[in-house]
Amino acid sequence: MNQVVIEECRVDDGDDGPYAVTAGPDGALWFTLVHGGRIGRLVPRGDMTSHQLDDAGCAPTIICAGPDGALWFTEYKGNRIGRITVGGAVEEFALPTAGSGPFGIAPGPDGALWFTESAADRIGRITPDGHVTEFALPAGGAAFPSAITAGDDGAMWFTLNQGHAIGRIGPDGSVTVHPLPTKDAAPVGITRGGDGVLWFVEIGAGQIGRITVDGRITEFPLPDRGARPHAITTDSHGVPWFTEWGSNRVGRITADGAVTTYDLPTPGSEPHGIALGPDNALWVALENGALARVAVTGGA
């Protein structure tokens, strides 16, 4: 019988706020410390180090591995995109639009990084050498584009947190918006699920959603509709896992919508980002100052 084992590893004193986490090309976990203006690095069951950014108030938010062997991250308050090598060298790129609030970031199929400008209703694209292009979203305003990921169709897919919709942007900048069936769903995290499907979370409605690349949407209510699901990823078997910020849990969902949730060891740990680690466990950024390792033993 499968068993889920959750262990926590403290990475700060509780004030710096681990927010997002990703696997690096060096076999380590890299994570943002949103309140401390730092980027952290943790070797599973090994050492932890961190790198202070020049602006402690820049609010590094989402982080991902880039196509160039470096890690790329958004600076929500600094209005920049950052790049850090596995050796700790940092480079930062200012964005053309002031106060744009960059939030989500992910590698695209074109060798560039794509990101959301949540406060400017734009999608941005940055090449590894720092060239930035911005694409305005359709008129409407205050849609708050949030997380972003590559789909199986060669496009980037993103959530519109205040637009209550899922968006798609093609390589040429053309945008399609798919409104969600549920009012005030407020989607945040999104991830590629394979087979032409993307999974996302609805923090406002307490649901997990699925959308095909041709725009067909299915929503699955969580057992606890007040759970405030925040981020989502897939494990090594392609199973979606998500964080429940409001209920201090992580959960997983099957293709037909069956949900299983697991309590985190420390009450009030505020789980945010989640990613598959280099050790094939799921890792969760806990804003109370830790990373949680979630391992399934005994099989898939």
Side-chain angles (χ1 to χ4, degrees):
M1 181 177 179
N2 294 341
Q3 180 182 7
V4 172
V5 178
I6 302 177
E7 305 168 276
E8 292 182 3
C9 176
R10 183 150 292 277
V11 294
D12 81 75
D13 59 10
D15 294 330
D16 288 347
Y19 191 85
V21 61
T22 195
D26 56 346
L29 294 151
W30 289 77
F31 55 96
T32 56
L33 292 156
V34 65
H35 303 307
R38 293 191 290 137
I39 302 298
R41 177 184 183 272
L42 175 70
V43 177
R45 306 198 183 281
D47 295 334
M48 195 283 289
T49 55
S50 69
H51 304 274
Q52 182 68 57
L53 302 175
D54 63 358
D55 176 5
C58 68
T61 309
I62 305 300
I63 188 167
C64 70
D68 56 347
L71 289 303
W72 290 75
F73 54 93
T74 53
E75 296 182 13
Y76 183 77
K77 293 182 179 178
N79 205 52
R80 297 179 297 194
I81 301 299
R83 175 186 184 271
I84 185 169
T85 68
V86 294
V90 175
E91 192 174 8
E92 292 160 309
F93 304 94
L95 297 180
T97 301
S100 65
F103 184 84
I105 189 167
D110 57 351
L113 287 301
W114 291 72
F115 57 94
T116 59
E117 297 183 12
S118 60
D121 275 352
R122 295 170 182 259
I123 301 298
R125 176 185 183 272
I126 185 169
T127 61
D129 62 358
H131 178 73
V132 175
T133 308
E134 296 175 310
F135 303 94
L137 295 177
F144 209 86
S146 299
I148 189 167
T149 193
D152 288 339
D153 58 345
M156 302 299 292
W157 290 74
F158 54 94
T159 54
L160 292 165
N161 178 258
Q162 294 302 297
H164 312 293
I166 304 299
R168 176 192 184 275
I169 184 166
D172 60 353
S174 59
V175 175
T176 306
V177 174
H178 302 278
L180 295 176
T182 300
K183 179 180 172 61
D184 298 332
V188 184
I190 189 169
T191 191
R192 177 191 292 180
D195 297 325
V197 170
L198 299 106
W199 291 85
F200 57 92
V201 295
E202 299 178 3
I203 196 171
Q207 300 187 137
I208 305 299
R210 185 179 66 204
I211 185 169
T212 61
V213 293
D214 59 0
R216 289 176 290 120
I217 296 169
T218 309
E219 295 172 312
F220 303 99
L222 294 173
D224 176 4
R225 297 297 290 275
R228 307 285 289 173
H230 184 272
I232 189 166
T233 193
T234 54
D235 66 15
S236 58
H237 302 282
V239 177
W241 285 74
F242 54 92
T243 56
E244 292 186 351
W245 176 77
S247 61
N248 205 53
R249 292 186 293 246
V250 294
R252 57 179 172 178
I253 185 168
T254 63
D256 59 0
V259 173
T260 309
T261 59
Y262 307 90
D263 293 327
L264 291 166
T266 302
S269 58
E270 296 188 71
H272 285 289
I274 185 169
L276 180 64
D279 55 353
N280 278 334
L282 280 303
W283 287 81
V284 183
L286 308 178
E287 200 167 348
N288 73 341
L291 298 184
R293 182 180 187 270
V294 182
V296 180
T297 63

